Amino acid sequence: MSSSLSSHVHENQSSDLTKDQKQDGCVQIAIPPRPHEPESMQADPVDYMARAQWLRAVVLGANDGLVSVASLMVGVGAAGQSAKATLVSGLAGLVAGACSMAIGEYVSVYAQYDIEVAERERRRRECGSEKEGVEEEEGRLPNPLLAAAASALAFSLGAVPPLLAGGFISSWGVRVGVVCAVSSLGLAGFGAAGAVLGGANVPNSVLRVLIGGWLAMLVTYGVLRVSGLVFGMHVSSV
């Protein structure tokens, strides 16, 4: 280090330099965190991709349950069935939908499980004795039974609000209106929850889920209403 540079450094950093640093001719400057830096910027970012599997199984499963059962109850009501028939049809939709979701999720996740197991076996053969990186990932394999149970439970929870809201109202017009209103509130809640947990835009997610749910209920209502008229089924208030 030149004498002019050394003298300049000693003049400006003499209070911060240790004896060893002076002998080595090196200057180490520690930069503390900015006091005005937001805490959220200092913390580790949220891994939204890691949430994708359970987010799909829980939030979207509940949304499917709500839309399926609400559409079924609205459609059955449009065909002129009684309150008891609407309740039974909604309950049947809940049980059938939950079973279907569980089986579908189990088959899907088990296929993914088989692929990941095969990939780990291939990597283990290639790595030979160096298995540390492979063994660390053993606990990350998906659980098909857990995914199936989560999907069935989420579907059932989503189906409960329209089932309870409209299953005990005798007047078909009021019944359909209540089911639609309760379902709209549930759809908005599921859309907001999915957006928050997934780091997406909340208004856009809510609007997208609402429009999809309304279209499903409208199509079901229209198809069964026309079917009721074609087959001579009259709307009953009991």
Side-chain angles (χ1 to χ4, degrees):
M1 179 179 292
S2 64
S3 58
S4 59
L5 178 59
S6 177
S7 60
H8 177 72
V9 170
H10 282 287
E11 289 176 358
N12 293 277
Q13 304 291 339
S14 58
S15 60
D16 298 330
L17 293 177
T18 63
K19 182 178 179 180
D20 293 338
Q21 289 174 329
K22 292 179 181 179
Q23 293 177 352
D24 295 338
C26 299
V27 179
Q28 297 180 358
I29 303 176
I31 302 177
R34 299 178 182 177
H36 61 278
E37 187 176 18
E39 183 178 354
S40 60
M41 296 181 62
Q42 299 179 9
D44 294 334
V46 178
D47 187 2
Y48 291 108
M49 293 301 298
R51 296 179 174 180
Q53 181 174 340
W54 66 265
L55 179 64
R56 176 176 59 87
V58 176
V59 176
L60 300 185
N63 182 79
D64 289 344
L66 189 149
V67 173
S68 298
V69 173
S71 299
L72 181 60
M73 295 182 69
V74 168
V76 170
Q81 299 300 317
S82 65
K84 292 181 180 180
T86 304
L87 177 62
V88 172
S89 64
L91 184 60
L94 187 156
V95 175
C99 293
S100 176
M101 289 288 293
I103 295 173
E105 192 71 15
Y106 179 83
V107 172
S108 175
V109 175
Y110 213 108
Q112 179 184 350
Y113 175 86
D114 288 338
I115 293 173
E116 293 186 5
V117 169
E119 176 64 17
R120 279 162 173 71
E121 290 296 329
R122 183 189 65 80
R123 292 175 57 187
R124 183 178 288 108
R125 290 193 299 269
E126 292 177 353
C127 294
S129 60
E130 299 178 359
K131 300 179 181 180
E132 182 179 355
V134 177
E135 292 177 351
E136 289 180 354
E137 299 180 355
E138 290 295 334
R140 302 179 184 177
L141 290 172
N143 189 323
L145 289 176
L146 183 60
S151 290
L153 179 60
F155 186 95
S156 300
L157 292 177
V160 166
L163 185 64
L164 295 180
F168 302 96
I169 300 176
S170 58
S171 175
W172 78 271
V174 176
R175 182 167 66 244
V176 170
V178 170
V179 170
C180 291
V182 171
S183 300
S184 297
L185 292 176
L187 289 170
F190 291 143
V196 171
L197 294 174
N201 183 275
V202 174
N204 289 344
S205 178
V206 170
L207 184 61
R208 181 168 56 250
V209 172
L210 278 174
I211 292 176
W214 289 339
L215 286 175
M217 289 186 286
L218 180 61
V219 170
T220 307
Y221 179 90
V223 170
L224 293 185
R225 183 65 170 168
V226 172
S227 299
L229 295 175
V230 169
F231 293 104
M233 300 176 65
H234 300 286
V235 174
S236 175
S237 59
V238 295

